[in-house]
Amino acid sequence: MTAYVHTPKDETPTAVQASGVSREQAEMFDQPSFCPLLPPKNSTTEQVLFALMASDLTQFEWLMAGNGWRLAAEIKELDYLGWEPISIRIKVNGWARKIARYSLSPRAQQAAQMLYQQGGNHAQK
């Protein structure tokens, strides 16, 4: 059965009129489950994960703790391992540009604590 959309002449129908359905689209596939890997043991990435389990972290704080300039690279490594780190840009006094403040979601923090308690799988170097 073909449904016709009635619109005034020379007027484009809206998406809802044209499709005949609401704007919300159902998921075609289930969302992937959250199952991150622990970083390699004794790696800088593992140190970053421990730090994020305790509190939010900026490059400035990481640098002042004597840990170097590669925080963003380690955060990206956590992302590759499935941790889904959160990054927001903030203004810090003494710095001309905004910098990233990294954190873990409550779900990720809980997963990290559980994996360490259970001796979860660590990624290989």
Side-chain angles (χ1 to χ4, degrees):
M1 174 183 225
T2 304
Y4 293 97
V5 176
H6 299 287
T7 58
K9 187 176 180 177
D10 298 328
E11 188 174 307
T12 305
T14 66
V16 172
Q17 289 173 328
S19 68
V21 296
S22 71
R23 292 181 187 203
E24 293 184 24
Q25 180 175 345
E27 292 291 330
M28 186 171 184
F29 302 105
D30 292 335
Q31 293 294 322
S33 60
F34 181 72
C35 53
L37 286 174
L38 291 173
K41 288 186 179 185
N42 303 318
S43 66
T44 307
T45 309
E46 186 177 49
Q47 291 175 359
V48 171
L49 182 58
F50 286 144
L52 289 174
M53 288 169 62
S55 67
D56 293 356
L57 190 59
T58 65
Q59 175 62 61
F60 180 73
E61 295 161 344
W62 187 248
L63 186 62
M64 296 315 268
N67 294 314
W69 285 100
R70 300 210 22 97
L71 177 61
E74 302 304 332
I75 294 292
K76 190 62 180 172
E77 190 64 29
L78 286 174
D79 191 32
Y80 291 148
L81 292 172
W83 287 100
E84 302 173 356
I86 300 166
S87 173
I88 60 169
R89 307 281 288 176
I90 62 167
K91 178 72 176 140
V92 176
N93 290 335
W95 290 61
R97 301 171 81 181
K98 289 183 176 182
I99 63 171
R101 174 172 293 282
Y102 302 105
S103 62
L104 290 177
S105 67
R107 173 176 80 160
Q109 289 181 357
Q110 182 180 10
Q113 291 172 355
M114 187 178 69
L115 283 170
Y116 276 109
Q117 287 172 355
Q118 296 176 353
N121 293 331
H122 286 266
Q124 301 297 315
K125 287 186 179 182

